[in-house]
Amino acid sequence: MNIKGLDKNLKGRGGFQFEIGGVYDTGAKDDELRLCSDTVFHYCKSFQAVHEHYNCKNSDNRYCEIEVLGAEITDGTKYGSNKIRIIREIVGDELNALKGLINGNTGLFNSGSENS
């Protein structure tokens, strides 16, 4: 799953406004893509990696599943594409499962049962 972290208003760190269902294109050509630049929209393939950029302990942060529609680049943890679509917001039990807050776990990213 491709996951994009956003603030409470569905804005990225650069202030770019997103909405559920929207398609976004930076206009950059495939050979111009660079991470940490405005040539790509950033996302991660694991929730733990997203947590490094959008702390999941901050209840104001929101997380969305995205579809990659353009070229993709990566450094192994962070990914970027020049064209994406915001599919849906990840909420409720699914979000808690990604955080590891299931089976009685109270700490982030636990995989055991009844951890505290």
Side-chain angles (χ1 to χ4, degrees), residues 1 11 13 18 26 61 64 67 82 92-93 109-110:
M1 178 187 307
K11 286 187 178 182
R13 287 195 168 176
F18 294 91
T26 66
N61 287 336
C64 292
E67 177 182 12
N82 51 352
D93 289 342
F109 310 117
N110 285 324

Side-chain angles (χ1 to χ4, degrees), residues 3-116:
I3 305 168
K4 180 154 188 60
L6 299 162
D7 74 7
K8 66 182 179 180
N9 299 311
L10 291 178
K11 286 187 178 182
R13 287 195 168 176
F16 194 92
Q17 181 69 59
F18 294 91
E19 65 180 53
I20 306 301
V23 174
Y24 302 95
D25 190 332
T26 66
K29 296 177 183 164
D30 293 355
D31 63 346
E32 298 173 333
L33 304 186
R34 303 288 179 270
L35 290 175
C36 302
S37 76
D38 62 0
T39 63
V40 297
F41 298 108
H42 295 95
Y43 55 93
C44 298
K45 295 198 181 260
S46 77
F47 190 74
Q48 283 182 282
V50 174
H51 170 68
E52 293 178 25
H53 307 284
Y54 286 87
N55 190 322
C56 65
K57 289 182 180 180
N58 179 346
S59 61
D60 285 341
N61 287 336
R62 297 167 71 180
Y63 308 93
C64 292
E65 180 181 2
I66 67 150
E67 177 182 12
V68 176
L69 301 173
E72 182 176 72
I73 60 170
T74 185
D75 65 4
T77 303
K78 185 189 296 185
Y79 291 76
S81 178
N82 51 352
K83 189 172 183 180
I84 64 170
R85 179 172 69 94
I86 307 292
I87 298 173
R88 65 189 176 94
E89 185 171 359
I90 303 166
V91 296
D93 289 342
E94 183 181 17
L95 181 58
N96 285 334
L98 290 171
K99 290 179 181 180
L101 302 177
I102 56 173
N103 299 325
N105 292 331
T106 56
L108 289 175
F109 310 117
N110 285 324
S111 59
S113 180
E114 302 295 329
N115 291 325
S116 59

